[in-house]
Amino acid sequence: MATASIKAIGAYVPPTVITNDELSQRLDTSDEWIRTRTGIRQRHAAGPEETTATLSYAAARSALEEADLSPQAVDWILVCTDTAEMWSPATACFVQAMLGAERASAIDLTGGCAGFLQALTLAQGIVAQGKTVLLIGTEVLTKAVDWSDRSTAVLFGDGSGAFLLTPGEDGIIPRQAFSQSDGRQADILNKPYGGTRNPLTPELVAEGHHHTIHMEGRKVFRHAVHHMSDAARRVLQEAGMTSEQVAWVVPHQANQRILDAVAKELAIPPAKVFSHVAHYANTGSASVVLALADMLTQGLIRPQDQLLSVAFGSGFSWAAQLLEVRSPVPARFVNKD
Ligand code: UT7
């Protein structure tokens, strides 16, 4: 069984930026409220011509170019998203066509903000068979929020990140992983309308029900801190590591207060918990890859570093992943602040 190695990372955020001050002109909110409750100062937002597939393509193409690999070499394209291009076919099929990755098999996975790390576990099984995988996490959440709901509209942003995974012993190696779900909590964070349970009707739309995010923020916060910390402890224990041996925590970028609380729970100095939530807000499935791409392009990651990635999101689902840096890999982050 071949070891999976992350060989290159591509990331893309749309060029358009929406600041908190701009939001407060269309919603009853303020820069001060958003900053102090979440740490977010701005978010990048897809323009009218940009979609989940175009963002995914931009990130995937960057990863392939950084690895100097032809799209023809790709065996599988997996797109993790909660904001698909359309109901059917999979967003990954559009990305395959745009890349010209003619040999590839393409499929989507939906797992909320923890989905990318859950999918990384699945991708390793494919790479173990000697295959090359593009694992992409993308969200266009600004087209999925209810712009009249200030409690959710201010939290999310758009972006895409791609791992190019091949068999190998160099690059960044995914090691111990843990993930779990609790579907009993599905009602706390979801997009309840538009599926087969609540198909959209003119009446539902007239009542203001669309394909938008519903969230009970306080409950999410509490569960997120508990499960991210617990998952992190589990993978550290399985690896026989202490938190002191972690060079960086690379968390899902939901809210600075959640990151601070997780750092406290794990007794890890906040300076070792990477955060750029101020710039990009919560980008769901893209969040962990954008963080890693940002760190690599800033030169923050060094050979032999042990990285601990943790995420939590709808489902609820949560995940932790240890990443061993044998050698820092090439990364490109398009439109990085
Ligand atoms: O990947 C997982 C995705 N989700 C998350 O990470 C979210 C986790 N939860 C959170 O980050 C926090 O719960 C929030 C940032 C969403 C909210 O912070 P909070 O401290 O839990 O505030 P709250 O929901 O308890 O609301 C406090 C007050 C309320 O007003 P009243 O009832 O006290 O008068 C809200 O109506 O803040 C009000 N409020 C706002 N005020 C200004 C809610 N949203 C806003 C807003 N601007 N944008």
Side-chain angles (χ1 to χ4, degrees):
M1 295 272 275
T3 303
S5 163
I6 301 164
K7 284 288 166 52
I9 300 181
Y12 176 91
V13 291
T16 304
V17 169
I18 304 176
T19 64
N20 291 347
D21 281 333
E22 285 168 306
L23 275 189
S24 38
Q25 282 160 25
R26 54 206 264 201
L27 280 170
D28 180 16
T29 188
S30 66
D31 174 54
E32 203 267 337
W33 192 97
I34 301 169
R35 261 191 305 106
T36 53
R37 301 286 175 133
T38 70
I40 296 165
R41 292 173 181 271
Q42 61 174 46
R43 69 285 296 140
H44 287 246
E49 305 299 320
E50 289 187 297
T51 66
T52 305
T54 67
L55 266 63
S56 303
Y57 164 69
R61 196 183 62 174
S62 293
L64 285 170
E65 287 177 2
E66 287 296 319
D68 199 19
L69 207 68
S70 155
Q72 305 294 331
V74 177
D75 296 301
W76 280 84
I77 300 173
L78 309 179
V79 175
C80 296
T81 186
D82 280 54
T83 51
E85 187 80 356
M86 52 178 73
W87 264 99
S88 180
T91 306
C93 291
F94 294 99
V95 179
Q96 183 219 13
M98 291 162 102
L99 286 171
E102 286 149 21
R103 292 180 47 254
S105 175
I107 189 169
D108 285 3
L109 296 154
T110 300
C113 301
F116 189 85
L117 290 185
Q118 291 175 292
L120 180 57
T121 296
L122 300 180
Q124 287 173 71
I126 302 173
V127 178
Q129 297 167 18
K131 306 293 185 191
T132 293
V133 176
L134 266 173
L135 174 61
I136 306 167
T138 308
E139 303 293 356
V140 179
L141 288 160
T142 59
K143 293 188 187 181
V145 290
D146 175 354
W147 283 102
S148 66
D149 175 9
R150 66 179 181 175
S151 68
T152 52
V154 303
L155 302 175
F156 297 101
D158 303 335
S160 177
F163 281 179
L164 181 71
L165 291 148
T166 69
E169 298 291 338
D170 57 351
I172 300 179
I173 308 289
R175 310 293 310 198
Q176 284 76 9
F178 173 81
S179 63
Q180 196 176 340
S181 302
D182 182 359
R184 294 169 303 177
Q185 315 293 344
D187 289 346
I188 296 176
L189 173 54
N190 58 11
K191 282 200 291 173
Y193 296 102
T196 54
R197 183 178 296 193
N198 302 306
L200 277 188
T201 58
E203 293 73 28
L204 277 176
V205 174
E207 285 169 28
H209 297 306
H210 305 273
H211 304 83
T212 52
I213 297 169
H214 155 84
M215 181 174 71
E216 296 175 48
R218 288 215 162 176
K219 288 185 185 165
V220 175
F221 192 105
R222 197 160 30 83
H223 285 274
V225 173
H226 169 71
H227 287 304
M228 285 165 88
S229 308
D230 182 59
R233 282 193 205 98
R234 284 174 189 258
V235 293
L236 286 174
Q237 189 179 21
E238 197 186 330
M241 283 172 59
T242 64
S243 54
E244 288 85 58
Q245 291 170 285
V246 174
W248 285 100
V249 178
V250 188
H252 165 51
Q253 309 281 311
N255 177 323
Q256 188 59 48
R257 285 161 56 219
I258 293 179
L259 304 193
D260 293 343
V262 170
K264 197 170 165 196
E265 281 278 324
L266 296 174
I268 289 181
K272 284 168 75 174
V273 179
F274 181 77
S275 174
H276 64 188
V277 70
H279 296 262
Y280 306 105
N282 183 344
T283 57
S285 306
S287 156
V288 162
V289 204
L290 290 181
L292 206 50
D294 198 349
M295 296 173 76
L296 282 161
T297 54
Q298 286 188 51
L300 295 177
I301 294 177
R302 297 175 191 288
Q304 313 312 322
D305 276 355
Q306 299 287 344
L307 312 177
L308 170 58
S309 193
V310 282
F312 177 90
S314 63
F316 291 149
S317 289
W318 56 96
Q321 174 74 59
L322 279 171
L323 298 166
E324 182 182 317
V325 182
R326 301 257 172 94
S327 49
V329 300
R332 188 186 307 170
F333 192 150
V334 181
N335 297 324
K336 180 171 137 50
D337 290 326

